[in-house]
Each structure stands twice: as structure tokens, then as C-alpha cells.
Amino acid sequence: MSTSETTVLVTVTGPDKPGVTSVLLAALSNNGVSLLDVEQVVIRGRLTLGVLVSCPSDPEELQDQLEDAMATVGMDVEVEIGANSVTGAKLSTHAVVVLGSPVTARAFSTISRKLAEQGVNIDSIRGIADYPVTGLELMVTVPSDDPIAETRLRTGLAEVAVKESVDIAAERAGLARRSKRLIVFDVDSTLIQGEVIEMLAAHAGVEEEVRQVTEAAMRGEIDFAESLRQRVATLAGLDASVIDEVAEQIELTPGARTTIRTLRRLGFRCGVVSGGFRQVIEPLAHELELDFVQANTLEVVNGKLTGKVVGEIVDRAAKAVALRRFAAETGVAMEQTVAVGDGANDIDMLNAAGLGIAFQAKPALREVADAALSHPYLDAVLFILGVTRDEVEAADALDGIRRRVPLG
């Protein structure tokens, strides 16, 4: 920009309608200005359009022309002469996703105040979801690259999340966020509702006994491998046909199909790593077109469960090993992986992943996760990854059109 030119910030507001941008830019082009920055947002049908320009001519004459031009389309215009110009676009350092049902003004005020206390600047805000939860994405700049500053950001926001009953996730912005390529889910109480072993136990009449051991294991009070042996032992003598009955009774967590369908469209490799049982999980994995399955195998002899598992038990450590193996097999760096789980036996897996998400999780897992989701909708995982509800619905609509129109 020439030293003789003046920077001018033009802000247009009013009802969103076709032609507003073209009228504004036509008026600007008549004055030979150069565009420095443009930003537009529409909230509930009301448009705010900001344009920063360098003006080589009389800026007051430009202001008069802009006011006349925008009046023809019923829009208000403000012109700030001598507005600060920033050389080059500033890249936000982090993305902060806020999810709630609802996100109250008080909650958002508390979040913004916590960010300000840490010297974190909010660069932009956009709505990313209105169903099944309200989602807002804040692109922010943390003042220091020091890891301590990032830890302080996450800790402070986690405190706000608990206080205001919202979910908040903070992740580094840029390529690191957009490069995720592999995701694994725990199964019981994550991808599906409930615990498979408790469903099996109900058929054996030992449901309460098994539930107590399961809950202790999920809280980290009992070694998972030992708890699994105890629970499976109660199933000895159960007819193997019960496995198929239970498999048919499985109910997916709300949003699970949408989540996996959308991630596959984005090029993700998707899989499950479970302390549950392969005989129950594999039909579901086939239905969902998953790429990986790692789970325990129930021993069956003469059509009856023996009360034992075959082979190495998939416990807390084995889950992390499986995630690393899946990543190595597909050539995906660990920084590009995502893991989602709900219990203490998922801790190692979430720690190993590039992004660990605790889903309706026990405290032991929430404490180590990068993000924690408390609402019972698995598609909230998409919002954490930066996918909006509009993008999901648009992709579903396009896919429907493709299925109806023959390709030739």
C-alpha cells in the first residue's frame, strides 16, 4: 500500500438478501480501492459484512458514494477512515469448541472472561451446530507457545465446563487439527448403549453381580483383565445361541451412524477396540463398514460358553497397542489419530492418540482426555473435529441425490 493511501473499514449491516455484496463492491471499484480483508457473517437472517480497503482518493467522497449505494438495497453502512491495517492474515493458535443444551449467555460470558484472564484473544466465532446440541467454535490466539500456557488454557476451560454445565474442548488449530485420519471407538457405553457382558449376564441370571464388577473396573478399582475373568466365569454353561440374541438387541448410541458415515466420507479409517466380545461386535462392524476390530473372544465348546476367553485379553494396555498397530498398518502418524472411550481401561488408548475424547466418561478418564463430552450424542465428536451440522446434512442430501440419479 502506498504511503499516500488511506485505510478505510466499511461495515454494512441489515437483512441478508441477494445483491448486497455486488452493490458494495461495485461502489468500491468505482474508486479504485484495493481489498485488504473481507469478512461476512449472517445470524438469524441479519447480515454483517466488513471490508477493509486502501483508498487512493478522497475517503470522505468514498463514504458519500457508499452511503448512497447501500441505501439502494436498504442497508446501513458505517465507514471508519484510518482503520488499522494488519499486514498478512493472523493465524489463530487454537480452536475452542463449546457444546451445550443450551449454551447460555452466562456460560459464554464466563468462557470469554476466562480467556481474557489468560490473555487469550478471540479471533472469530461461528455456530457449528444447532442439533442435537448447540455448538460454537471460537478461533483464538494464545499469547505464548509455552506448553504451560496451553495446559493453563485447558485447565481453566475445564473448570468453566463443570461450573456452567457445558462441554468445552481446546485443540491446536491449523494443519494439526485438519490432518486427523484414523479414529477408534470403544464399544460398550460409547459406540453402543449399555454393556454387552451385562446383557449376556441377564440371560444367565447374574446381571447384578456382573454389573458391580463392571462398575468397579470402569472406575479403575479392579484390574480390567481380572474383572473380565470374573465376569466371564459367571457365564459358564450359557447356550452359545444367546450371543446372537444379544447381538440383535444392541442399540447404537444416538449419532453413531452419522458420525461414522461422515468420517468415512472425510477419508478417515474407522475401527473399534473393545474389552467386549468379537462374536457380538463383528456383525455390527460389518454393518457399519469399519476397517478394524480388536476385541476378546469367548470360548465356546459343544455349543456352550465355558466361562473363559480365548487368547490374549484386550485390556487397558492392549487397547493402546491395537491403536498403534492400526496406525502403522495404514501409514497414519499417531498425531493423526483419534480415540474415543468412556472408562478407565481406555486411558492408555486416549493418551496414545493425537486426540483423546472422553465420552460420558468416568472421572478417571475425563482427567486425562483432551476433550470430554457429557451429552449422550456421539455426533458431537464431529463438532470437536471441526465438522459442522450444516456440512453433515449437506453431505447426506448430496449422497441421497447420487443414489437416486444413475451414473452413466
Side-chain angles (χ1 to χ4, degrees), residues 289-354:
E289 300 182 42
L290 300 180
D291 301 293
F292 317 104
V293 176
Q294 182 72 25
N296 294 302
T297 302
L298 290 166
E299 185 179 61
V300 178
V301 176
N302 297 326
K304 302 286 185 179
L305 273 65
T306 66
K308 300 178 181 179
V309 293
V310 178
E312 183 179 351
I313 289 177
V314 180
D315 58 7
R316 171 173 161 173
K319 285 191 168 189
V321 171
L323 171 60
R324 291 190 177 94
R325 186 176 73 254
F326 295 159
E329 289 173 355
T330 53
V332 173
M334 288 302 295
E335 292 78 11
Q336 296 176 291
T337 65
V338 182
V340 186
D342 74 301
N345 63 323
D346 296 312
I347 288 176
D348 291 4
M349 182 173 72
L350 265 65
N351 277 335

Side-chain angles (χ1 to χ4, degrees), residues 63 65 81 102 133 151 161 179 197 211 237 319 359 365 377 391:
Q63 179 173 358
Q65 293 184 25
I81 299 173
V133 293
T151 300
S179 66
I197 195 164
R211 180 183 292 113
K319 285 191 168 189
F359 180 74
L365 187 64
Y377 311 107
E391 289 169 335

Side-chain angles (χ1 to χ4, degrees), residues 90-95 121-124 138-142 172-174:
K90 182 179 72 171
L91 298 178
S92 301
T93 62
H94 290 73
N121 186 66
I122 300 176
D123 303 322
S124 65
L138 288 65
M139 301 306 296
V140 305
T141 299
V142 178
R172 282 201 167 271

